[in-house]
Amino acid sequence: MRVFTASLATETNTFAPLFVDRSAFESAFYCPPGTHPETPTLCSAPIVAARRRAASEGYELVEGTATWAEPAGLVSREAYESLRDEILGQLQAALPVDIVLLGLHGSMVARDYDDCEGDLIARIRALAGPDCVIGAELDMHCHLTAQMVENADAIVAFKEFPHTDFLARAEDLLELCLKAARGQVKPVSAVFDCRGLAAFMTSREPGRSFVDRLMAMEGRDGILSISVAHGFQAADVADVGTKVLVIADGDGEKAAALAKQLGLEILRWGGGATPKHYKPEEGIAEAVKLAEPGRPVVLADRWDNPGGGVAGDSSVMVEALLKHPDVPAAIGAMWDPVAVSLCRAAGVGATIPLRFIGKAAPSSGRPIDAVVEVVGATGDLLIPFEQSWVSLGPAVAIRIGKLDIVLASTRAQTFSPPVFTDLGVDLASKTVVVVKSSNHFHAAFAPIAASVLYLDSGGPYPPDASKIPYTKVKRPFSPLDPNPWL
Ligand SMILES: [Zn+2]
């Protein structure tokens, strides 16, 4: 048996003024064939999963390129086509293969390609032929399109948000594809389109119990796999929205019935699946109440999360914290490569005048001007996220009174406490810790937090889907229209 594997991924916020060319992939994560590290990245886990089982399962593995760009705005046509064609060329050279295993995201949008992954999978099908088993792992924040589902044999999305399961789901996908290639199962996919946005977190109820139930259903009664594509609302594409994908063994009607049942269940939660979001002042006040000695309250600045394709340099929460000089606080990581280079040149221990953050867009707020002390610096802030390592590039910690601020050169979300602690910021001494992350921070920060709260700092990520200027979405679509299923 021969297996080909490759990974091409990013998440495109079509409203963000941060454009992505090929160099954005090459500088973030770019591994030509055979050079992928031992540890997986968020979307390249199928490569690692396939490597680990090649010997025991007795297949020959051919690795193609693996690449990822930090979520941002529209991908250039040249970047997408050149990376796609690079992988297609590698596949062509590897043919014939029995399985193609892809690590994708599912919400990559390039100029003239609203559905990059659908285009890629369709071209792979055309090359590899009808008998090849094509499997793809997607991030749950994907636009699950008909083009993807029709051209793949098996699609498996992450189930957990925070995404603690990217490697586990890659292993599920590999197992399913191996069984299909050996004729032990016949995967048939059905999708229920919720006709709206119904995302949820699995770090809290009702999402937690729901996903536990999904996992208990898999492998029983002919149900091979269940994925909830939550969707990614910051994208003006026709297929935006939440969908449920069920893969059954040979029984399309059974798959469709279960997908509909689960989709309706999610829709009926309505706003009940969403945690309370605090305005900046309200969040700080609540955190001061809830903090315990040695245990800060973690506030998630969800709408300035680089993982959602925005800059991560909004000054809204820094301005709010500066109004409370008596509250020991930390905030990070914020994107400002120019300020980082100025601080590193000044050196740790220096006190300097600095203009920082609030620069990428009007929605980032105003830049901050302050006299700051440089309290920590590194040539590469490398932090763990589950089984992967994420680089934030050269970074510094600066101090204004009791407020410590981490500035980084590379946009990446605040996955884990080393964003602060590796630069000498003592989180146990803080009352408030603000992280630039939507929910991926949760697994690593919850153990050190007295409480975790979510902020509504107003943007720049578009938090209110009813106000997003969609032009392409298929209607009806809630919350723009009443949901047709309810
Ligand atoms: Zn995601």
Side-chain angles (χ1 to χ4, degrees):
M1 189 182 292
R2 283 168 63 79
V3 178
F4 175 81
T5 183
S7 177
L8 171 55
T10 190
E11 182 179 60
T12 304
N13 176 337
T14 65
F15 304 104
L18 304 165
F19 298 93
V20 177
D21 59 4
R22 188 172 165 120
S23 73
F25 286 88
E26 290 176 347
S27 61
F29 179 76
Y30 176 74
C31 297
T35 64
H36 193 287
E38 286 301 308
T39 51
T41 67
L42 184 73
C43 291
S44 68
I47 294 175
V48 173
R51 261 187 202 170
R52 290 183 182 173
R53 285 181 64 185
S56 62
E57 297 287 342
Y59 54 79
E60 186 185 346
L61 183 65
V62 182
E63 293 183 16
T65 292
T67 188
W68 153 269
E70 183 64 18
L74 204 61
V75 177
S76 74
R77 185 184 176 114
E78 188 281 332
Y80 169 61
E81 289 181 343
S82 70
L83 291 166
R84 175 196 71 191
D85 293 348
E86 182 175 318
I87 290 170
L88 293 175
Q90 292 157 351
L91 172 62
Q92 175 88 62
L95 292 176
V97 297
D98 303 280
I99 296 173
V100 173
L101 207 61
L102 299 167
L104 308 175
H105 186 290
S107 67
M108 177 170 170
V109 183
R111 198 168 296 285
D112 305 324
Y113 292 93
D114 280 1
D115 176 14
C116 291
E117 290 86 349
D119 175 68
L120 175 65
I121 297 170
R123 287 169 191 267
I124 285 175
R125 174 60 72 201
L127 264 183
D131 298 331
C132 176
V133 174
I134 299 176
E137 184 182 30
L138 301 182
D139 188 296
M140 65 188 358
H141 299 115
C142 58
H143 316 298
L144 187 66
T145 68
Q147 194 178 24
M148 296 178 203
V149 177
E150 283 163 13
N151 287 289
D153 295 277
I155 288 176
V156 172
F158 309 155
K159 286 187 174 65
E160 302 288 350
F161 182 44
H163 300 335
T164 53
D165 64 334
F166 49 88
L167 185 55
R169 297 292 82 78
E171 286 162 356
D172 291 352
L173 176 71
L174 173 63
E175 176 70 18
L176 185 47
C177 290
L178 286 170
K179 282 185 173 158
R182 289 170 179 148
Q184 294 161 341
V185 294
K186 188 176 181 301
V188 179
S189 297
V191 174
F192 176 76
D193 185 339
C194 291
R195 300 302 328 135
L197 288 157
F200 56 89
M201 294 172 176
T202 55
S203 48
R204 53 190 293 118
E205 296 295 355
R208 177 70 268 141
S209 303
F210 182 75
V211 164
D212 288 341
R213 267 174 49 225
L214 298 193
M215 289 196 276
M217 287 178 201
E218 289 177 328
R220 291 177 168 200
D221 300 330
I223 299 301
L224 300 174
S225 174
I226 305 170
S227 293
V228 181
H230 290 212
F232 180 65
Q233 70 192 48
D236 188 19
V237 295
D239 292 296
V240 70
T242 303
K243 288 150 199 172
V244 180
L245 165 68
V246 174
I247 307 177
D249 190 3
D251 189 341
E253 282 179 22
K254 180 183 271 186
L258 181 58
K260 182 173 183 180
Q261 177 199 320
L262 295 170
L264 292 176
E265 189 175 335
I266 296 168
L267 280 172
R268 288 189 192 114
W269 294 339
T274 310
K276 176 178 167 68
H277 285 67
Y278 293 82
K279 295 290 181 189
E281 277 301 321
E282 196 189 1
I284 294 169
E286 190 68 11
V288 168
K289 264 189 249 169
L290 296 175
E292 297 163 10
R295 294 175 73 76
V297 169
V298 172
L299 299 178
D301 193 0
R302 295 193 73 193
W303 311 138
D304 188 40
N305 160 32
V310 301
D313 79 334
S314 161
S315 56
V316 171
M317 282 311 299
V318 174
E319 284 192 333
L321 291 166
L322 286 172
K323 288 181 191 153
H324 297 271
D326 52 319
V327 177
I331 181 169
M334 310 199 63
W335 183 52
D336 195 334
V338 173
V340 169
S341 66
L342 295 173
C343 292
R344 291 183 75 213
V348 173
T351 297
I352 59 168
L354 185 69
R355 171 166 285 195
F356 62 100
I357 63 175
K359 299 170 186 169
S363 50
S364 292
R366 291 184 297 263
I368 307 279
D369 286 291
V371 174
V372 307
E373 182 190 355
V374 182
V375 294
T378 176
D380 188 15
L381 182 57
L382 196 62
I383 62 161
F385 174 49
E386 298 301 321
Q387 300 92 347
S388 70
W389 288 92
V390 177
S391 168
L392 286 89
V396 295
I398 57 173
R399 181 167 294 159
I400 306 170
K402 294 181 179 176
L403 174 61
D404 290 345
I405 302 163
V406 171
L407 304 174
S409 304
T410 297
R411 294 169 50 253
Q413 61 185 298
T414 309
F415 289 108
S416 54
V419 162
F420 299 99
T421 53
D422 280 7
L423 288 163
V425 176
D426 176 17
L427 295 180
S429 71
K430 302 298 185 187
T431 301
V432 178
V433 175
V434 181
V435 295
K436 298 281 176 172
S437 176
S438 176
N439 205 35
H440 290 341
F441 71 93
H442 196 281
F445 277 92
I448 65 144
S451 191
V452 171
L453 305 177
Y454 296 89
L455 290 168
D456 175 9
S457 58
Y461 186 90
D464 182 352
S466 68
K467 295 182 180 142
I468 297 176
Y470 292 119
T471 63
K472 297 178 180 174
V473 61
K474 288 179 210 151
R475 309 289 284 267
F477 182 78
S478 63
L480 305 184
D481 308 300
N483 192 286
W485 297 111
L486 295 175

